[in-house]
Amino acid sequence: MPAALDILQQTFGYPSFRGPQETIIQTIVEGDDALVLMPTGGGKSLCYQIPALVRPGCGVVISPLIALMQDQVNAMRELGVRASFLNSTLDAATAADVERALVEGELDLLYIAPERLTQSRTLDLLKRCEIALFAIDEAHCVSQWGHDFRADYLQLSLLHEQFPAVPRIALTATADEQTRLEIAARLQLEDAARFVVGFDRPNIRYRIGLKHNARQQLLAFLKAEHPQDAGIVYCLSRKKTEETASWLTTQGFTALAYHAGLPAEERAAHQARFLREEAVVMVATIAFGMGIDKPDVRFVAHLDLPKTIEAYYQETGRAGRDGAPANAWMIYGLQDVIKLRQMMQGSQGSEQHKRIEQHRLNAMLGLCEITSCRRQALLDYFGETYPEPCGNCDGCLEPAQTWDATEACRMALSAVARTGERFGVNHLIDVLKGKETDKIWQFDHHHLPTFGVGDALDNNQWRSVFRQLVGRGYLSVDLQGYGALKLQEKCRPLLRGECDIALRLDQKQKVAKRQTKTPLPEDINVAMWEALRECRRELAEEQSVPPYVIFHDSTLVEMCSVAPKTLDAFSRLSGVGERKLMKYGEAFIAVIKNTEQEQFG
Ligand code: ADP
Ligand code: ZN
């Protein structure tokens, strides 16, 4: 049996394993099961790819992401791995070909869609073959709590029943305990070795700001920090993704929309452009992104609030999988909270389910409103402790100023109480500011003791007070519609004057210094970098694969600084395996020599 480390170095061109990869691989190689929870970009794929090469037979990878299978297979073939896929996009003749190759033992890896796998025909076929392992990717799809639930995944327990001798490895980036337990139970992996990798993504910078003019804020952020980068902008509604994408296009960006309502071909075309071109901004609903294996997404921007911290973490986790600096940037306002609460109330599902969702949204709001380190709060949510403030989030970099809002909060809460907890923010502000609107007259609110007591703050400041009171759980938004605010148990001591409260002083969100452009070292040889990129682009185009399938940016950066001029030296670069050495070594070495010739004579 070839050793795992040899394969890592020779086939993948990486010098060493990351974190627990080696132990996970060992577990599978020895024929045991594993449940792997690793953040996006942590390096999950190697955990089944290498055992599939070490063990005799073909590794079968079950993935719901059929749109990505072609790219995954291409990337494997680039490394010299004999990979294929089976899903509904193949015509009958090609599928028959793949099946023949499988039976004849010509495949190392087979990617397959769950609905295909569970057909009895496929199961019979697999029983005639030697199977190295089953890898269940995106394993959280078995969870009925999550938003990625796939009914086909529930049937995957049959793997254990019908192939008891084949080791199984389930992988996911979803962290919460509920999902973890469901995966173990539904896939009969209770006895599997568990690997939970730290969820920190140190290269991602988290920032959450207040929404005042969403488009202009986004534009300022993109112009200052990502004028030529690939990234994802998440919106709640389909319409908004389309409007935002076309607006960004008028501002000079290559922006595309993505949502479940687009025709399938258009969706596929947009996704392909995002993967293949270098600076496409995808404006998308949450329908986009699961399993997007693009390492150089430099930012994820949220124009609307995600429903849960899990979703936020998963979506932002799509940034910076290559380990280079990346931004997770979000703006939100009270309106988002109201909208989400209404959507939740209107959704299907039991009362218990709604309560859990509510609880999760509250945690998300809490994250938005904290004035300390966001990373500490995030990791704390996932049950990890991060000892010191991280230094790479807005909480750490631009500490929020706070003000003593005790008096203002009492006024706000009393306005809610005295109007019978039946009104939304705008009317409550009118009451506080003593504005004589029709509605005020209609409900006789000009007689209230709180009428006009709030002159010291302007409307925006009052909105900020209400938003933070909701965010911190002093007020709730009425679920029946209209967004009326209601008092929560938590506000009693505050109303009785038994405690003080400090609120965040909202500032217009600062745009940080540009620091997340492609992570080039200061002293890089720019001419060489450009020439190498051009070479990579041409090769990628020739083979119609994304540029990063040829080499990652980090390999090109190393190429610039080492400037190898022999194949032997070239082979020592991280990311250069035997196959890529043979295929591309000469071409890149020629570029290096040429550039040096031009520069230094
Ligand atoms: P995940 O599936 O967990 O999101 P991937 O398997 O796509 O992550 O890996 C993320 C990136 O890290 C990939 O580009 C991969 O090639 C790289 N990578 C994984 N393991 C190693 C390693 N041991 N050394 C260097 N790079 C690695
Ligand atoms: Zn921090």
Side-chain angles (χ1 to χ4, degrees):
M1 276 204 312
L5 185 61
D6 290 341
I7 295 181
L8 178 78
Q9 293 172 344
Q10 285 159 20
T11 304
F12 292 85
Y14 295 133
S16 54
F17 286 111
R18 246 192 221 161
Q21 277 175 335
E22 189 168 14
T23 329
I24 298 170
I25 291 168
Q26 206 55 42
T27 304
I28 302 298
V29 165
E30 285 166 8
D32 295 323
D33 299 335
L35 174 51
V36 175
L37 298 107
M38 220 187 249
T40 313
K44 286 188 283 301
S45 329
L46 283 184
C47 298
Y48 56 81
Q49 287 161 346
I50 291 184
L53 294 171
V54 173
R55 287 175 62 89
C58 176
V60 175
V61 185
I62 299 129
S63 162
L65 308 163
I66 61 177
L68 298 180
M69 285 184 183
Q70 182 73 63
D71 280 341
Q72 286 173 318
V73 163
N74 287 348
M76 282 298 102
R77 289 184 180 164
E78 275 295 308
L79 298 172
V81 176
R82 301 174 304 168
S84 277
F85 67 89
L86 273 181
N87 63 36
S88 53
T89 64
L90 293 183
D91 59 59
T94 317
D97 237 26
V98 173
E99 291 178 359
R100 185 204 47 78
L102 173 68
V103 175
E104 289 179 12
E106 293 168 9
L107 291 182
D108 302 314
L109 265 183
L110 177 70
Y111 290 83
I112 189 163
E115 58 276 11
R116 183 92 176 201
L117 177 91
T118 50
Q119 289 168 8
S120 56
R121 237 196 104 249
T122 314
L123 292 171
D124 290 342
L125 184 77
L126 290 178
K127 283 178 193 148
R128 307 211 313 268
C129 309
E130 188 165 25
I131 307 293
L133 58 89
F134 287 111
I136 304 163
D137 208 2
E138 313 290 350
H140 61 280
C141 291
V142 292
S143 163
Q144 277 162 323
W145 293 103
H147 51 71
D148 294 328
F149 174 65
R150 299 286 182 117
D152 293 307
Y153 261 65
L154 288 181
Q155 290 186 48
L156 294 180
S157 57
L158 62 77
L159 293 176
H160 181 50
E161 289 144 19
Q162 302 197 18
F163 301 86
V166 178
R168 295 169 302 144
I169 173 170
L171 312 104
T172 179
T174 299
D176 61 311
E177 186 60 22
Q178 165 89 24
T179 312
R180 222 176 279 186
L181 293 172
E182 261 191 277
I183 295 174
R186 292 185 194 278
L187 297 178
Q188 301 183 12
L189 282 170
E190 284 101 341
D191 299 330
R194 275 198 189 192
F195 299 90
V196 181
V197 176
F199 270 79
D200 186 24
R201 298 287 310 280
N203 59 316
I204 297 183
R205 170 169 297 182
Y206 299 97
R207 275 180 286 169
I208 303 179
L210 197 61
K211 197 189 280 188
H212 43 89
N213 181 340
R215 280 192 177 177
Q216 290 308 326
Q217 286 174 285
L218 176 67
L219 186 64
F221 166 67
L222 292 181
K223 280 193 168 158
E225 303 188 40
H226 300 286
Q228 294 179 52
D229 290 331
I232 307 173
V233 177
Y234 280 110
C235 308
L236 207 54
S237 77
R238 296 173 177 188
K239 183 153 159 268
K240 187 161 163 191
T241 63
E242 292 183 15
E243 289 170 355
T244 309
S246 51
W247 177 75
L248 280 176
T249 308
T250 67
Q251 300 298 315
F253 289 88
T254 309
L256 301 170
Y258 191 103
H259 58 74
L262 289 177
E265 314 84 72
E266 197 174 335
R267 263 196 339 251
H270 286 185
Q271 175 164 316
R273 284 190 61 191
F274 180 71
L275 293 175
R276 300 219 155 96
E277 294 178 20
E278 283 191 287
V280 174
V281 176
M282 191 67 112
V283 188
T285 61
I286 53 166
F288 179 72
M290 196 193 14
I292 290 294
D293 192 9
K294 183 174 168 65
D296 55 353
V297 174
R298 294 268 67 84
F299 67 90
V300 169
H302 280 93
L303 291 184
D304 292 306
L305 196 65
K307 287 189 196 124
T308 63
I309 292 186
E310 284 87 352
Y312 172 75
Y313 208 60
Q314 202 169 43
E315 285 152 25
T316 54
R318 289 169 188 141
R321 291 167 69 139
D322 53 10
N327 272 313
W329 181 94
M330 178 164 87
I331 47 176
Y332 89 108
L334 183 55
Q335 213 44 43
D336 292 278
V337 181
I338 295 175
K339 217 186 308 173
L340 278 181
R341 291 241 153 110
Q342 286 169 347
M343 275 171 61
M344 255 171 217
Q345 190 57 23
S347 74
Q348 310 291 319
S350 64
E351 281 310 309
Q352 192 211 359
H353 184 73
K354 283 182 186 168
R355 251 198 320 280
I356 292 174
E357 293 291 287
Q358 200 58 245
H359 188 71
R360 290 174 148 190
L361 176 59
N362 289 344
M364 182 69 226
L365 288 175
L367 177 71
C368 294
E369 293 296 354
I370 56 160
T371 48
S372 51
C373 174
R374 307 258 191 218
R375 190 179 313 271
Q376 279 185 319
L378 272 168
L379 292 174
D380 182 57
Y381 182 80
F382 293 123
E384 273 181 47
T385 14
Y386 196 89
E388 297 286 326
C390 74
N392 194 25
C393 73
D394 54 357
C396 289
L397 294 168
E398 312 150 22
Q401 289 176 316
T402 57
W403 58 293
D404 180 355
T406 312
E407 201 52 42
C409 288
R410 278 196 203 124
M411 289 180 190
L413 294 173
S414 127
V416 173
R418 290 185 188 273
T419 52
E421 305 178 75
R422 292 192 296 130
F423 295 89
V425 184
N426 291 332
H427 184 72
L428 292 167
I429 294 177
D430 287 344
V431 171
L432 287 162
K433 300 280 295 176
K435 207 167 160 200
E436 308 204 358
T437 65
D438 290 349
K439 204 163 168 184
I440 293 281
W441 287 102
Q442 185 189 340
F443 291 98
D444 233 11
H445 285 164
H446 51 289
H447 289 316
L448 295 176
T450 32
F451 186 71
V453 295
D455 235 5
L457 303 186
D458 68 22
N459 282 24
N460 280 334
Q461 290 168 316
W462 277 120
R463 290 190 79 82
S464 163
V465 168
F466 279 110
R467 191 196 75 245
Q468 296 188 60
L469 286 172
V470 172
R472 296 204 196 174
Y474 290 92
L475 289 174
S476 69
V477 180
D478 182 8
L479 301 172
Q480 304 311 324
Y482 317 114
L485 296 182
K486 291 192 178 301
L487 300 176
Q488 294 294 292
E489 198 49 42
K490 190 174 169 186
C491 70
R492 278 181 210 285
L494 195 57
L495 272 173
R496 285 198 299 257
E498 291 165 7
C499 65
D500 293 342
I501 181 169
L503 291 184
R504 167 194 286 267
L505 191 61
D506 286 334
Q507 301 164 308
K508 297 213 164 177
Q509 202 180 26
K510 288 185 226 106
V511 173
K513 282 201 311 290
R514 172 176 182 125
Q515 24 78 14
T516 47
K517 183 64 187 121
T518 324
L520 296 179
E522 287 285 319
D523 54 351
I524 194 161
N525 181 336
V526 177
M528 186 171 300
W529 166 255
E530 292 298 341
L532 292 171
R533 258 166 68 109
E534 182 56 22
C535 174
R536 177 177 69 172
R537 202 187 54 72
E538 281 168 15
L539 290 168
E541 209 154 78
E542 261 168 39
Q543 318 196 23
S544 48
V545 295
Y548 62 78
V549 169
I550 310 279
F551 287 125
H552 281 184
D553 281 356
S554 54
T555 305
L556 288 203
V557 168
E558 203 184 328
M559 227 179 267
C560 277
S561 64
V562 179
K565 284 173 256 335
T566 61
L567 285 175
D568 186 48
F570 197 86
S571 74
R572 286 196 291 269
L573 300 174
S574 175
V576 178
E578 281 171 354
R579 162 96 175 190
K580 288 191 176 174
L581 178 68
M582 267 169 25
K583 231 174 141 181
Y584 305 126
E586 300 283 4
F588 282 93
I589 290 172
V591 171
I592 291 166
K593 286 185 177 161
N594 264 336
T595 321
E596 291 200 339
Q597 192 104 48
E598 278 167 22
Q599 287 186 312
F600 312 119

